[in-house]
């Protein structure tokens, strides 16, 4: 005979536990979940269901894997904050699908992203024609970020040139510039050590530069 009171109590406890786990792991909108975040969410849900469906089983063996997953996520979160390379390995990199109005079919094939997917996401942003798009970037969450031609002209897109002290060669190529040009521009502004720059972006001829551990 089922002990309904035990099922209710376990459900309430596991609900509170999962809520606490997600609060500890950090807040993210559903559309911003990475692949790993999504997998962990599914696993936690499955573990909770198993614990509720078996009220006679000890609770600790069901709770322990959930706590282990939480610790793994916290550790991964810490490492991705510290290392750009590790962040790219875990979360992947954003991919330019449309660059200056030209579709990169190789990039689409690499991510198994077809024209139906592209048109569907463009329609979701009230864009009916690909020719209206200047840039489209497929984010690591699967979201498509779009810059329309009529809103900004070529060259006005904010381009990240340095991330965590590492020059982004692909970004330099997108604005038809070189590593030497970037270093020259930085030296003119008094920045000689690339590794000390946390973030550097370029937009419409203007640089935004933020140093690592810079005190405000």
């Amino acid at each position: 005979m089922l002990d309904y009171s035990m099922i209710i109590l376990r459900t309430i406890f596991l609900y509170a536990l999962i809520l606490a786990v997600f609060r500890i792991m950090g807040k993210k909108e559903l559309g911003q979940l990475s692949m790993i975040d999504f997998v962990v969410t599914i696993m936690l849900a499955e573990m909770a269901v198993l614990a509720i469906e078996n009220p006679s089983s000890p609770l600790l063996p069901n709770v322990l894997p959930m706590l282990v997953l939480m610790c793994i996520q916290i550790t991964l979160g810490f490492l991705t904050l510290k290392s750009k390379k590790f962040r790219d390995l875990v979360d992947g990199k954003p991919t330019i699908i449309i660059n200056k109005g030209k579709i990169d079919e190789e990039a689409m094939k690499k991510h198994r992203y077809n024209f139906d997917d592209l048109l569907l996401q463009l329609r979701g942003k009230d864009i009916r024609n690909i020719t209206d798009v200047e840039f489209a970037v497929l984010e690591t969450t699967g979201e498509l970020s779009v810059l329309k031609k009529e809103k900004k002209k070529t060259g006005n897109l904010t381009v990240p040139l340095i991330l965590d002290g590492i020059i982004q060669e692909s970004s330099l190529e997108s604005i038809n510039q070189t590593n030497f040009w970037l270093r020259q521009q930085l030296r003119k502004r008094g920045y000689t050590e690339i590794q000390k720059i946390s973030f550097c972006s370029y937009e419409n001829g203007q640089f935004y530069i933020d140093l690592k551990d810079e005190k405000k």
Side-chain angles (χ1 to χ4, degrees), residues 126-192:
D126 199 28
I127 299 173
R128 303 298 179 213
N129 199 328
I130 293 180
T131 58
D132 294 335
V133 179
E134 184 70 20
F135 287 92
V137 179
L138 184 63
E139 306 292 353
T140 57
T141 59
E143 178 72 15
L144 190 70
S145 299
V146 178
L147 179 68
K148 292 182 180 180
K149 284 183 179 179
E150 61 265 29
K151 289 187 177 181
K152 288 187 178 181
K153 296 181 180 180
T154 304
N156 282 5
L157 179 70
T158 300
V159 180
L161 299 181
I162 298 176
L163 296 176
D164 291 342
I166 300 173
I167 295 176
Q168 307 300 301
E169 298 291 346
S170 59
S171 295
L172 284 171
E173 291 177 6
S174 72
I175 59 173
N176 298 316
Q177 295 295 351
T178 64
N179 190 301
F180 176 77
W181 170 84
L182 175 59
R183 291 177 182 274
Q184 189 178 51
Q185 293 298 318
L186 292 174
R187 279 196 296 271
K188 288 180 181 179
R189 292 162 174 79
Y191 301 97
T192 58

Side-chain angles (χ1 to χ4, degrees), residues 44-56:
L44 285 173
E46 287 293 330
M47 290 174 186
V49 169
L50 288 173
I52 293 170
E53 286 182 342
N54 299 282
S56 60

Side-chain angles (χ1 to χ4, degrees), residues 5-6 24 50 60 66 84 129 146 165 167 178 215:
S5 61
M6 181 59 69
I24 293 171
L50 288 173
L60 182 60
M66 299 169 69
K84 173 68 167 57
N129 199 328
V146 178
I167 295 176
T178 64
K215 294 182 180 180

